[in-house]
Amino acid sequence: MSEPPQSELPPSEPPQSELPPSEPPQSEPPLVASPEIETDGPLDEPTTDEPPAIEAPVTLPGRTEGCPGGMVRVEGEYCPAVVQECLEYHPEWTKRHGEPGVAARCLRFREPSRCVAKKNESLSFCMDRYEYPNVPGELPRTLTSWEQAADLCEAQGKRLCTEAEFNFACEGPEALPYVYGYERNAETCNQDREYRFPDHSQRLLHHEACMQNERCAAELARLDGREPAGSRAECASWAGVYDLNGNVNEWVVRTDQKAPYRSGLKGGWWGPIRSQCRPMTTFHKEDDYGYEVGFRCCADVEPQAT
């Protein structure tokens, strides 16, 4: 059975939502947990003169040549049209579909995905390894509109990623439904957390204003389920990009549309929603924003000296 259409934001959300769907608070583990130093003797055991051990640097996945610092090179053959058949839906969907906050989460897809495009597209681009501000261990920025996100990327000499770029960085040449494969795993990426409904009586503010407003900051903290960028090592795509499924929704550019409909949301967030690579929510306009909506930047590959 093919997956029914479903927005990443529940049907109860207004088309222009300053307050996206809600989710539970989430712990914020460090990006890399350094092992604790243990001794066999008591704490007051004399120390030696040996210098402390130096931890080996963490080797990050993916290629980086031709890309600015902090970015990953994504290159290969992309299929524009793919069939991904869901074999088993989450029991919540089979029993309660149509209710607010209930999304079509697929537990298991048929392998492999099928490319039905007449021909593939050759892609080569650079993508931020982490969600903006692209700093490992920091929480991704939310409460940012598509327009604001585009400006922030441009200020760094970058741009928002396109729909096709997001798809390919997430699913790879095999067109995987999730960054990690065909079967859903709620622990691999930050997803499937309990849904919390936002307080629609008051609108959340944009990022900077919300951080300085006590009421807004408190409501964001109540809803917040973000984790620091790169916290889950297994939530890295084939290209070495982290958190393309879950954590926060990400703005992309719909290259076949004109203003104010160039904005799309992809990847899903921490709540109990689809959180797949290929689906996209399209009803949010370019000035919309939400507490679960973030972004990352892309860039063209820099010419290499021959």
Side-chain angles (χ1 to χ4, degrees), residues 23-31 137-140 186-187 189-191 193-194 196 220-232 243 247-248 270:
E23 7 343 296
Q26 185 72 14
S27 60
E28 300 176 1
L31 175 63
E138 286 198 15
L139 290 175
E187 299 304 319
C189 298
N190 180 22
Q191 60 189 55
R193 304 294 169 245
E194 180 186 358
R196 290 190 175 183
L220 177 61
R222 182 182 72 83
L223 299 169
D224 202 1
R226 293 171 297 167
E227 291 181 352
S231 295
R232 304 198 185 206
D243 302 322
N247 215 26
V248 298
W270 63 84

Side-chain angles (χ1 to χ4, degrees), residues 64-69 73 126 299-305:
T64 59
E65 65 270 20
C67 294
R73 183 165 179 169
C126 302
D300 296 337
V301 175
E302 298 171 349
Q304 299 294 292

Side-chain angles (χ1 to χ4, degrees), residues 58-81:
V58 175
T59 301
L60 295 172
R63 301 168 53 193
T64 59
E65 65 270 20
C67 294
M71 303 192 84
V72 175
R73 183 165 179 169
V74 185
E75 188 171 70
E77 295 299 307
Y78 165 68
C79 179

Side-chain angles (χ1 to χ4, degrees), residues 261-281:
Y261 304 105
R262 297 169 295 177
S263 50
L265 284 172
K266 292 187 65 65
W269 43 287
W270 63 84
I273 48 99
R274 287 177 301 181
S275 293
Q276 297 164 218
C277 293
R278 182 75 54 154
M280 179 170 62
T281 301

